[in-house]
Amino acid sequence: DAVVNRLQAALDAKDAAAIALRLDLEAVDDGNARLAGRLDRALAPPPGGDAVGAMLSAGVFDSVLRDALRVAHRFARALAEVLRCAGWDLAAAAEAAYPGISYSKAGHCRYALLSHVCLSMFDGFDSYQFGATAGTTELGGMEQFIEHSDADPMELMNSSPDCEFAQFCDRKYKQLIHPGIESSLFGNSDCGTLLVMSVAGPLYELFVAMASSIWTLHRLAWAYDPAVGIFQVGRSTEFSMVYMENIVWSKGFVGSKELGKPVRPKVGFTVVPGFRLGGTVIQCRVYLDHGKREEDIIDSI
């Protein structure tokens, strides 16, 4: 009797637990159904529109752009380390690229390298071919965006060496890594395994990842109607908070004065280009060249 009572008590406890779990499952199912309904309503196209059109918002483009820039930042940092290892003076290289710029910190010369990387990679963004010479695919911008987003860029390069993306990578490599840099990277034995711009090297893989993210962004840009525009600003342009973002965040600026009146800071060079989506502007990121500035509190890279 004692054994039967214990077994019956255990059975009753399991029945109670099963009932409780069943109730929890029903509550979860109800919650999922409500969330699914909300998601369906959120993704439903506007009257007379379509689902693809509903996706083409400034927020979507800005999100993909930020992902691309994160990869570009990583590549620029890796390239800077390899160049230092190869004996390059990055400050002298920055001076050659943008002569006469007054940097607020010595290490800020790396923004000149980041500018070279970004402006080289985005050069030709306003062309549908974007550096490819093969006949363009029949797929539209959104279809190409989705197709390339699902692809492994290195596998694509290996399996289709003549595809548009492979041509884009080849063109951008030659534009970004000029012969002087290439000879340094391949000719300095002190870099050891960092002789990485060969097709088997990690820096080349990072380059392809960066190229893939920017190629994907370009395909998305051409899915909009009209296509997303791109712009940059020249040196000595007055800083505008509408069209520009200071890539080095700070508490404020101690600007110079002319005839007793404060002078707005001037652009030293564009680091990351800006974009226009209809009436929406995504600011370009610039390095400012003007007087002394207060203590920098955030370094965006």
Side-chain angles (χ1 to χ4, degrees):
D1 289 343
V3 171
V4 170
N5 289 337
R6 286 198 301 271
L7 292 176
Q8 186 62 49
L11 183 60
D12 292 342
K14 290 182 181 296
D15 286 341
I19 292 172
L21 291 172
R22 190 175 296 112
L23 293 174
D24 289 342
L25 179 60
E26 291 176 356
V28 170
D29 287 341
D30 289 342
N32 286 342
R34 289 193 297 271
L35 289 174
R38 291 171 58 186
L39 182 60
D40 289 340
R41 291 191 296 272
L43 295 180
D50 59 88
V52 171
M55 291 176 59
L56 296 177
S57 67
V60 170
F61 184 85
D62 185 59
S63 177
V64 178
L65 170 63
R66 290 178 183 275
D67 289 341
L69 293 181
R70 276 192 286 270
V71 185
H73 287 185
R74 291 199 298 271
F75 175 80
R77 285 195 295 267
L79 179 60
E81 290 303 315
V82 172
L83 290 175
R84 288 192 188 97
C85 180
W88 278 62
D89 183 340
L90 294 185
E95 175 64 20
Y98 298 111
I101 297 294
S102 177
Y103 296 94
S104 61
K105 292 182 179 179
H108 283 184
C109 61
R110 69 185 182 278
Y111 288 108
L113 178 61
L114 179 60
S115 172
H116 171 65
V117 169
C118 290
L119 297 187
S120 295
M121 293 304 298
F122 281 103
D123 181 42
F125 194 87
D126 54 351
S127 166
Y128 185 76
Q129 284 74 24
F130 200 17
T133 57
T136 57
T137 176
E138 294 182 357
L139 295 177
M142 179 56 72
E143 289 82 358
Q144 292 185 64
F145 166 71
I146 295 172
E147 181 183 75
H148 194 81
S149 297
D150 292 336
D152 181 289
M154 289 300 297
E155 289 184 3
L156 183 60
M157 292 278 289
N158 294 330
S159 62
S160 303
D162 295 326
C163 68
E164 288 182 280
F165 173 65
Q167 293 181 48
F168 170 75
C169 288
D170 181 66
R171 175 178 178 270
K172 289 302 179 182
Y173 174 85
K174 293 175 180 177
Q175 185 175 355
L176 183 62
I177 308 297
H178 61 71
I181 294 179
E182 190 171 46
S183 62
S184 296
L185 297 181
F186 284 106
N188 193 315
S189 60
D190 292 339
C191 292
T193 57
L194 290 181
L195 296 179
V196 289
M197 284 309 287
S198 65
V199 294
L203 189 57
Y204 185 77
E205 292 184 2
L206 189 54
F207 165 78
V208 172
M210 173 182 65
S212 176
S213 63
I214 293 175
W215 174 264
T216 303
L217 180 72
H218 178 263
R219 297 294 84 190
L220 176 62
W222 281 85
Y224 290 78
D225 185 18
V228 175
I230 186 171
F231 69 93
Q232 58 180 287
V233 293
R235 182 171 183 175
S236 299
T237 303
E238 285 192 353
F239 179 74
S240 166
M241 295 184 65
V242 176
Y243 296 100
M244 308 171 204
E245 176 186 351
N246 180 15
I247 199 165
V248 180
W249 291 86
S250 62
K251 291 180 179 178
F253 304 99
V254 181
S256 59
K257 292 185 177 182
E258 292 180 3
L259 301 177
K261 296 182 179 180
V263 176
R264 297 177 64 183
K266 302 293 180 63
V267 172
F269 52 86
T270 294
V271 181
V272 178
F275 300 87
R276 296 188 183 92
L277 294 79
T280 301
V281 173
I282 297 178
Q283 299 161 306
C284 65
R285 302 178 187 181
V286 300
Y287 192 91
L288 298 180
D289 179 29
H290 70 284
K292 296 181 179 180
R293 66 190 64 187
E294 296 179 7
E295 180 183 3
D296 296 321
I297 59 173
I298 299 178
D299 191 338
S300 64
I301 291 189

